Amino acid sequence: MSINIKLHKREDETNSREFVCAQEMENSFKKYFSNFPNTKGSIDIYYSLTLNGQSVRDIDLLVTGTLENFKIKSLIVDPTDHQKKDVIVHSFCYVIELKDHSEAYLDSTHIMVRYNKTNKDVTNQSENQKYAFVNYFNNMYNYKPFVTVMIPAHNEEEWIFGCIQSFL
């Protein structure tokens, strides 16, 4: 395979749920991209990140990638000729908030969970994580990446990867 997929393992790893999801994601990427032998690039998977100096410090998963020669069929139909077009993917960056609460629900456009007997706005939390990462990256490298957030409703790793695959 000509894509380097790297899980950045922490020295203090204790098989956390973030690490387990990151491992499954690594395996899913390897399996998926084995079907694209002409695609080159790299994918990096980080988990349990701490962003020092930011108001929101914790990120469950961060997945970044740069790709060459990778095309997929769009899920959206072109309005001019009513055909699905190939979409070329050069890079991506996802901040993923893992939630395994059994009491998740939608409140308008926000995902909410019950946590310690109170309602918590996961959508707002995830957006804050995204901007914390963008600000952190900008402070470190003087560049603001385009970041997409993802909030899986449950921690089934194949489902998480399916979400990423649909966004590519």
Side-chain angles (χ1 to χ4, degrees):
M1 180 183 342
S2 53
I3 294 183
N4 181 28
I5 300 168
K6 180 171 174 130
L7 170 58
H8 296 268
K9 188 172 180 183
R10 298 169 51 134
E11 292 178 16
D12 62 343
E13 180 48 53
T14 59
N15 289 326
S16 64
R17 71 184 176 104
E18 290 87 355
F19 174 66
V20 171
C21 279
Q23 280 183 310
E24 291 296 324
M25 190 171 289
E26 177 188 32
N27 294 333
S28 294
F29 273 122
K30 287 179 179 177
K31 182 178 176 184
Y32 178 76
F33 280 104
S34 68
N35 297 317
F36 299 91
N38 296 325
T39 300
K40 297 180 181 357
S42 64
I43 296 173
D44 293 284
I45 304 167
Y46 304 88
Y47 63 96
S48 300
L49 295 177
T50 301
L51 304 177
N52 293 319
Q54 300 299 312
S55 59
V56 175
R57 296 179 39 162
D58 298 327
I59 293 180
D60 291 343
L61 292 174
L62 174 70
V63 182
T64 64
T66 56
L67 303 171
E68 296 175 25
N69 301 321
F70 183 63
K71 290 193 271 187
I72 56 174
K73 278 283 186 208
S74 173
L75 300 176
I76 300 170
V77 174
D78 186 319
T80 56
D81 63 6
H82 306 290
Q83 299 294 314
K84 290 184 180 179
K85 303 289 184 183
D86 286 341
V87 175
I88 298 171
V89 178
H90 294 288
S91 62
F92 59 91
C93 180
Y94 290 102
V95 170
I96 302 172
E97 172 65 16
L98 300 174
K99 290 294 177 197
D100 54 6
H101 297 77
S102 60
E103 295 184 45
Y105 63 95
L106 278 176
D107 182 5
S108 184
T109 58
H110 288 250
I111 298 172
M112 308 292 287
V113 295
R114 288 287 286 166
Y115 184 74
N116 289 338
K117 299 181 183 179
T118 61
N119 296 326
K120 183 167 180 159
D121 187 334
V122 180
T123 302
N124 192 41
Q125 176 188 1
S126 188
E127 282 293 314
N128 289 339
Q129 288 172 338
K130 173 177 97 170
Y131 290 112
F133 176 73
V134 168
N135 291 335
Y136 180 83
F137 202 86
N138 188 45
N139 291 342
M140 295 294 289
Y141 304 106
N142 198 31
Y143 176 76
K144 290 185 177 183
F146 179 81
V147 178
T148 302
V149 297
M150 186 180 311
I151 309 165
H154 44 81
N155 287 338
E156 292 184 19
E157 292 79 12
E158 286 187 20
W159 187 84
I160 294 170
F161 181 72
C163 287
I164 288 178
Q165 192 176 343
S166 70
F167 281 117
L168 284 177

